[in-house]
Amino acid sequence: MPSAIVTGATGILGREIVFELAKNPSQWSTIHALSRSKKADYPANVKHGRIDLTGDVNKMAKDLEGMEAEYVFFAAYLQQDTEQENWDVNGDMLHNFLDALKLTGADRKVQRILLVTGVKQYGVHLGVPKNPMEETDPWLRGPEWPPNFYYRQQDILKEYSERSSWDWVVTYPNDVIGVAKGNFMNATTTLGLYVAVTKEMGQELYFPGSDKFYTMFDCFTDTRLHAQFCAWAALEPGAGNQAFNVVNGDVESWQNLWPKVARRFGVKIPEDQFAKPSTEGGRAKMQDQPPLSAWAKEMGLVGQTAQSMVEHRIDLVRWSQREDVKKAWERLAEREGLDQEAFGKETWWFLGFVLGRDFNIVVSMSKAREFGWTGYMDTWQSLSETLDELEKLKVLPKSK
Ligand SMILES: NC(=O)c1ccc[n+]([C@@H]2O[C@H](COP(=O)([O-])OP(=O)(O)OC[C@H]3O[C@@H](n4cnc5c(N)ncnc54)[C@H](OP(=O)(O)O)[C@@H]3O)[C@@H](O)[C@H]2O)c1
């Protein structure tokens, strides 16, 4: 029976990998869950260890002493202010961790290392990508593109793999739906709190993002499905040395999800929510040339790949700082016995970004399916079950 090491064990994606492997003790004997903090109680086959991946390699090797595993899942992430810093810090964390595994000798037992990255692979943080996004799409390298830390991490992984006996898998999830406490990007908890506080204030539910995006398409990743994918890809012989998009398998749109969200919480969407100009919103330009421009000549789209925008009807960062909003949260949290810190820890900028882009985001699952992956999750089911879980954790009030 193999063992596993999971870094980023308290993160939105890593946490679920730990729980998915732990569910199957006849398959996974021991799961070493690593992070700086410990935020959950674990089943008996999980051993939590503290490690700082930004620390010195020798210190890290000491923390890893006696830890061995056939499969390693790297889901640690430390968000930085600039793409260059993300490149430096997140690249170094992986690099130093692999060096530490070599120092302890644990790497000799490793058979496969799985790295969790994301759909920023295709530049969705820079503007409209080529849709649908496919794993064979060329990387956006060169002076016209900012550094992308996923490229550095993948290069490191391949370089180390060539000198070792293990192979690798990389995942590209998008707009993740899941549960985590105090992490860097958490769209679902933030969304749930926006709706719950709006309801507490007795107001109608405006879509805070872009009116254009409201009727466009997006693909989401449920963290439980992503974790199942990771467990499958670790053990699937043919998946070695491959990168895979990992999304739910449906294509969704807020025109479909928003009314369901409103019904779940018992709030009303204004019939003409986009009719009047917003006074609480904002617009920000993305990169001059969007990723799609790299394809323009080949596709016959020269002159048609304008700069993308992030647009908000309600700027959620400013909204969350309003005194009336904070008071409504305090009232709601007090009355319903909720985790008082939840509101202040939320990632308002991230939800604004997820809802504010003015372009479609369609992620192909063809490659994973060709390799034998059959997993699927309906996105509304994923969202509503995650909101239910957040109720149980006392982050959101009871909706019924
Ligand atoms: N969240 C999303 O919506 C999303 C979407 C697509 C792709 N992704 C990508 O998925 C990957 C994983 O991100 P995530 O969102 O799951 O991250 P996350 O929820 O913010 O969690 C980050 C994890 O890394 C650990 N960590 C941070 N600094 C560390 C350090 N110095 N030493 C050891 N552990 C450290 C954290 O634990 P401690 O703080 O306890 O150490 C935590 O467990 C990233 O590449 C991210 O870009 C995320």
Side-chain angles (χ1 to χ4, degrees), residues 323-342:
E323 279 312 310
D324 56 338
V325 169
K326 285 198 276 189
K327 283 217 162 62
W329 162 252
E330 281 161 21
R331 196 167 62 236
L332 178 66
E334 176 74 31
R335 191 180 67 239
E336 305 291 329
L338 304 179
D339 173 0
Q340 307 262 352
E341 288 179 5

Side-chain angles (χ1 to χ4, degrees), residues 8 10-13 36-37 51-53 77 117 150 183-185:
T10 52
I12 198 161
L13 287 152
R36 290 168 303 178
S37 63
I51 194 167
D52 183 356
L53 295 168
Y77 170 61
T117 65
Y150 292 163
N183 72 323
F184 291 115
M185 296 179 277

Side-chain angles (χ1 to χ4, degrees), residues 234-254:
L235 300 174
E236 171 59 36
N241 297 337
Q242 298 293 332
F244 294 98
N245 294 335
V246 186
V247 289
N248 289 346
D250 57 359
V251 177
E252 260 301 356
S253 176
W254 287 102

Side-chain angles (χ1 to χ4, degrees), residues 191-205:
L191 176 84
L193 287 170
Y194 169 70
V195 183
V197 172
T198 299
K199 182 177 179 181
E200 176 68 18
M201 294 169 84
Q203 294 176 358
E204 294 185 307
L205 185 68

Side-chain angles (χ1 to χ4, degrees), residues 298-328:
E298 185 187 333
M299 290 179 176
L301 284 176
V302 170
Q304 303 297 314
T305 57
Q307 185 173 29
S308 300
M309 308 290 287
V310 178
E311 303 171 335
H312 305 117
R313 287 197 61 85
I314 298 172
D315 179 324
L316 288 170
V317 174
R318 274 192 277 139
W319 177 87
S320 71
Q321 289 163 354
R322 271 174 29 191
E323 279 312 310
D324 56 338
V325 169
K326 285 198 276 189
K327 283 217 162 62

Side-chain angles (χ1 to χ4, degrees), residues 165-182:
S165 54
W166 48 264
D167 62 11
W168 54 268
V169 169
V170 176
T171 65
Y172 303 147
N174 182 53
D175 290 352
V176 164
I177 299 175
V179 171
K181 273 190 185 168

Side-chain angles (χ1 to χ4, degrees), residues 7-15 34-39 48 51-55 74-79 89-90 93 115-120 149-150 153 172-177 180-187 221 350 354:
T7 72
T10 52
I12 198 161
L13 287 152
R15 169 187 185 278
L34 302 178
S35 50
R36 290 168 303 178
S37 63
K38 181 169 181 271
K39 293 182 178 166
H48 183 266
I51 194 167
D52 183 356
L53 295 168
T54 60
F74 192 93
Y77 170 61
L78 192 49
Q79 187 163 290
V89 172
N90 287 286
M93 288 207 299
L115 168 70
V116 179
T117 65
V119 167
K120 270 164 83 170
F149 76 93
Y150 292 163
Q153 286 187 320
Y172 303 147
N174 182 53
D175 290 352
V176 164
I177 299 175
K181 273 190 185 168
N183 72 323
F184 291 115
M185 296 179 277
N186 193 335
T221 302
F350 181 61
V354 166

Side-chain angles (χ1 to χ4, degrees), residues 4 21 28 70-73 111-114 167-169 227-240 244:
L21 303 182
W28 299 95
E70 289 80 1
Y71 299 94
V72 176
F73 300 83
Q111 293 179 19
R112 185 166 287 175
I113 299 190
L114 186 144
D167 62 11
W168 54 268
V169 169
Q228 287 161 20
F229 183 91
C230 291
W232 170 80
L235 300 174
E236 171 59 36
F244 294 98

